[in-house]
Amino acid sequence: MIKVAPSILSANFAAMGEDIKKLQKFGADVIHCDVMDGTFVGPITFGGQMVKAIRPLTTLPLDVHLMIEHPQTQIKFFADAGADIITVHYEACNKISPTYLRETLQLIKSYGVKCGAVVNPDTDVENIFPVFDICDMVLIMSVFPGYGGQKFIPTALEQVKKAREYAIKIGKGDMDIEIDGGVNLQNAQTVREAGANVIVAGSAVFNAEDMAGAIATIKG
Ligand code: DX5
Ligand code: ZN
């Protein structure tokens, strides 16, 4: 089943509650929350307090994408805030130690929250194959993280295909594979055909005049 996960990075931060309610009303399946720390990526967005504030406003799952250094230090805050799934970057973990990624995923699971590993466009997805066994989802970036509204990087499609093939190989063919960045109404079909089933879209949803129509088209 294809799920559309609008990114609230493109929402109106001064009217976040209204935007969250609109997303649910207009057919979103998941709410994608982009957390940036100003170090792993340039900008700073928000922390656990935002997730806590939006939690009572929707019954949709909250998908927290941590674009931060030292993710282990922050997991508790997002778990307590009501995240349903937390994803962490391979690049942030691997520079600390070779075991840090798996430990972080285990830490997320210890709070009863689903977990996932993320790779940037220039990181081969093979690097996270060793943690596929513990992941509920993997996230393939199709832009370099930091900003909404960037252009889709097509090599991400190969990464998605490789991830789906490997998931099938290890008997986890139905694992969620999420793609994030530059997805729009024109390329959504290609993204689905490559094997991604959780599709993040920020600007394509929030800049659409017909938000419900945009979500439906991305879903296919
Ligand atoms: C990029 C974020 C994405 C971004 C997607 O750093 O992780 O979730 O908001 O926005 P669009 O769909 O506009 O590329
Ligand atoms: Zn994201």
Side-chain angles (χ1 to χ4, degrees):
M1 182 202 142
I2 304 288
K3 291 177 260 188
V4 179
S7 164
I8 58 168
L9 186 61
S10 296
N12 177 357
F13 277 42
M16 187 57 84
E18 293 316 305
D19 276 356
I20 295 289
K21 288 180 203 159
K22 268 190 220 164
L23 289 177
Q24 180 144 18
K25 187 167 141 211
F26 294 149
D29 301 290
V30 173
I31 307 239
H32 185 81
C33 305
D34 282 312
V35 176
M36 304 185 188
D37 67 350
T39 305
F40 181 73
V41 290
I44 295 176
T45 53
F46 52 79
Q49 270 183 305
M50 174 70 91
V51 174
K52 194 173 174 186
I54 65 181
R55 178 68 286 176
L57 304 180
T58 180
T59 56
L60 296 178
L62 301 180
D63 163 27
V64 175
H65 175 195
L66 293 184
M67 287 160 275
I68 66 173
E69 304 285 3
H70 301 281
Q72 276 178 30
T73 64
Q74 300 299 313
I75 300 307
K76 182 181 190 304
F77 301 118
F78 290 97
D80 289 348
D84 294 279
I85 180 160
I86 300 173
T87 62
V88 294
H89 271 262
Y90 166 81
E91 299 82 9
C93 294
N94 195 51
K95 71 169 98 155
I96 297 174
S97 85
T99 55
Y100 191 94
L101 175 59
R102 176 171 289 274
E103 286 159 12
T104 309
L105 296 168
Q106 282 164 340
L107 179 65
I108 297 168
K109 295 287 250 189
S110 76
Y111 288 100
V113 175
K114 290 182 180 172
C115 72
V118 192
V119 284
N120 275 342
D122 60 351
T123 301
D124 195 314
V125 67
E126 284 176 19
N127 286 288
I128 58 169
F129 283 178
V131 293
F132 267 41
D133 62 322
I134 187 178
C135 286
D136 297 288
M137 181 168 83
V138 297
L139 169 50
I140 307 293
M141 292 306 299
S142 41
V143 298
F144 285 91
Y147 304 91
Q150 301 183 77
K151 197 169 173 300
F152 185 81
I153 300 173
T155 49
L157 296 170
E158 273 312 307
Q159 298 257 77
V160 168
K161 281 183 201 148
K162 274 169 83 171
R164 182 60 74 198
E165 277 162 19
Y166 187 70
I168 291 168
K169 192 174 157 197
I170 62 166
K172 287 185 75 170
D174 60 354
M175 186 170 77
D176 281 337
I177 298 180
E178 182 176 49
I179 190 159
D180 182 7
V183 177
N184 55 39
L185 308 191
Q186 289 71 44
N187 62 18
Q189 188 180 352
T190 322
V191 159
R192 293 192 303 268
E193 283 167 2
N197 70 307
V198 184
I199 304 177
V200 178
S203 45
V205 168
F206 281 97
N207 295 347
E209 258 169 55
D210 174 9
M211 217 188 237
I215 291 170
T217 302
I218 292 166
K219 204 183 279 199

